Amino acid sequence: MYNPFAVALLTLEAQKVVELRLVKLAWGGPEGCAEAQQMVSEKLSAFIEAFGTLMTGGSCDMVVARYREHVAANTKRLTAA
């Protein structure tokens, strides 16, 4: 069973990253291009990591917790300007 509270927090935290990324993409330039490339590569690696966790017996809670760590790191990186 998964923790719906953790999933709800993940959605709220991810929304902030979406907002920050959209602003960076809207500004464009080399930073916007780099952010777009990083976003795609992060999503692919996060999927592979989540799939690996589930295939090796990990729980959905473990996947959500790890995604929240990624989201927190992105929030910190995108607000550190």
Side-chain angles (χ1 to χ4, degrees):
M1 187 70 186
Y2 73 96
N3 180 357
F5 182 70
V7 175
L9 285 176
L10 174 62
T11 60
L12 293 173
E13 295 160 352
Q15 181 60 38
K16 183 64 177 175
V17 172
V18 170
E19 175 190 349
L20 293 167
R21 280 190 161 154
L22 284 174
V23 169
K24 193 161 206 168
L25 292 172
W27 279 101
E31 295 86 9
C33 185
E35 186 62 35
Q37 292 174 347
Q38 183 172 355
M39 178 177 61
V40 172
S41 67
E42 282 178 355
K43 291 194 182 302
L44 181 59
S45 67
F47 169 77
I48 292 169
E49 182 181 348
F51 184 76
T53 298
L54 293 173
M55 295 283 58
T56 58
S59 68
C60 291
D61 285 333
M62 291 173 65
V63 172
V64 170
R66 185 66 177 132
Y67 265 76
R68 289 188 69 208
E69 290 175 13
H70 288 298
V71 169
N74 278 327
T75 302
K76 185 176 180 180
R77 177 181 57 81
L78 290 165
T79 56

